[in-house]
Amino acid sequence: MHFMQGFAAREKALSPSAPLFVLLGLFLLLLTTPLGAVPSDAIDVNGRESGDRFTGQQEIWHDPDDSHTVEDVTRIYESGGFGPLLSAGSTGLKKGAFWSRFALRNVTEAPVSLNIEYVDHQLIELAVFQRPLGAAEEFEHSLTLSMSEPFDHRPVSHNRFVFPVALAPGQTREFMVKFSSDEAGYVFPSMRIWNPDNLRSSHTIETASIAFLFGGFFLMSIFSLVGGIATGSHTYYAYSVYALSKITVWATILGYTHQYVIREGFEWRYMSISGAVTILCGLIFARIFLQTKKFTPKLDYVVLLMMANASLLLIGALLEIKILALVTITLALLLYPVMPVIGLLRWRQGSREAIVFAVAWSVLMVGLVVQAFRDIGYVEHNFINYYWPPFASFTEMLTIMAAIGIKVRRLRQEKQLAETQYRRHLEQSREELQDLVWARTRELEMAKRQAEQEARTDPLTGIRNRRSFLADSALQIKLARRQRQPVSLLMFDIDHFKAINDAHGHGIGDEALRSFSQTILGQIRETDIFGRLGGEEFGLLIPEDSKNAQHTAERLRDYIARIKVDTGDGTLQFTSSIGIACGEPGCTIESLLKHADRALYQAKSRGRNKVAEHPAEEGAESH
């Protein structure tokens, strides 16, 4: 079209005496121009481009099946099949691939090196074909940039697709670029033209800005984690995880995860996975912060539905079920406005921080809406709306942190008010409460003593339980060590106690344990420490040396053998095996128990109703 308009203008300017030259020129032009081609004006470049120049969107063609080769597309272009993009910058959600044709002309007398940058992050693959403008040869494949390829395969290190172009002095090259989105996706067929040095400088500033953004998310996460540790509040912990998820999702969506973290084996579904995790973390935090379960129980079911939907989105992304992921992400966006509504309702209920939360969530919603309108082609793609969603997300987090601060301040004020009212009430009722306090104190002291006694006493036999026995024995051993006095531990085990229970029942067994305990108590001193270790095992710590401990053990064994328990069908008598361990320098109650247990095993192995003293024989094991 541009060629025909120019030709018409030149024809009008010619004099009547030049028809031969016109026909000759037209003939030569037809020889050098492919049949049916309508070459567009090339974009003039001089090597100083700073990204404000774009490849045109006037020559675009949609391949719905992504089945055409560059030769097929060239024929379609030459037959006039290409046309302008009829939107603000995006093709909208379409299947297949899009092709864009443009030409670059070096207007200088020196070689020019350029970088051509794709303007968005939502592309799976970009293939570049080129040839000299007007040449009869076919387009040659220059390179293919793919999201699934290792990042090191990219000729230019950038989080978005960038390919280099070299133009000789005065040269014009024609490009055919294929944009693929893997079945269905959004394509922005325009590309920025850069001088390589200018692109590196811009990318450095852009990366530094995003790093600052991520640093803010990280600091918010750390502050919240510290707040959670200090207060034990689940709100802080949930916010900390939510802030970290923001770093993950935006780093993945904007391409930095592929550039710096997963440089090989990166998959497109990672974006959906990180997005699902962030949505789920945000909903969990919102549910905790707004206390929807307590104050808005009906709407809490909607929040639970949103959380379940986010979980399905995560499952769909993990299992690559694209229809599930598409349905769930659409439902998630449709349900997002519920959260500001809940925030407003909680504000009406008296929660001042809830209105700040509603504003924060609304800011995030605006960012997502802007991105949606940009993706479907209603809003022009530019630097502002490209980075609006992540910066809106950052603003949301800052606002929510302010809301948390307001909530903490409110809780502190409520606490101070409650304390003031409580003190005033105490002052007004001091005389009346004093008597009640004293009475209650006496009751508590009695209850405490009783509880302590119960905690130290075996409920069946009335003697020390294991914990009390161990504690008192440990103190007694330390005292004996300081006073250089001997100490010995006797461990008792009622012989064949299981047979007693089996033959006479547990009631008679319990009576046997009580009779055993009372017999021992009647034969020892008050300073001796006697307790039930468990089951039919008992322990006795006495301040005696080995010889006296042996004598005491034999004496007690004899008294035990005299015990008689009335079973109703007759009289029950039983015996006990006793193991002795004598204290040594540096001994503990644990070591004495271990040695006495080995000695007890020896007593039982000798036929029971015996007394044995540690050390046990080599190779003996505790029973």
Side-chain angles (χ1 to χ4, degrees), residues 453-470:
Q453 181 66 21
E454 292 177 353
R456 295 171 55 84
T457 303
D458 176 53
L460 176 63
T461 61
I463 63 175
R464 292 179 178 85
N465 58 19
R466 182 182 182 89
R467 183 177 65 178
S468 177
F469 175 79
L470 294 177

Side-chain angles (χ1 to χ4, degrees), residues 24 154 204 268 296 367 369 442 559:
L24 180 61
R154 298 189 182 187
T204 300
W268 178 255
T296 57
V369 169
R442 288 192 295 270
Y559 273 103

Side-chain angles (χ1 to χ4, degrees), residues 492-501 504 508-520 536 538 556-567 571-577 608-610:
F492 301 82
D493 187 279
I494 297 177
D495 296 329
H496 304 295
F497 185 74
K498 183 177 184 299
I500 294 174
N501 278 334
H504 303 286
I508 298 300
D510 291 346
E511 182 61 31
L513 293 174
R514 283 191 288 266
S515 298
F516 172 87
S517 301
Q518 294 304 313
T519 299
I520 300 297
E536 67 273 20
F538 296 80
L556 293 176
R557 183 182 64 80
D558 185 58
Y559 273 103
I560 295 168
R562 301 176 191 174
I563 297 174
K564 295 181 179 181
V565 178
D566 184 11
T567 64
T571 301
L572 169 67
Q573 289 185 280
F574 54 87
T575 60
S576 173
S577 301
R608 290 184 168 82
N609 194 22
K610 303 289 184 181

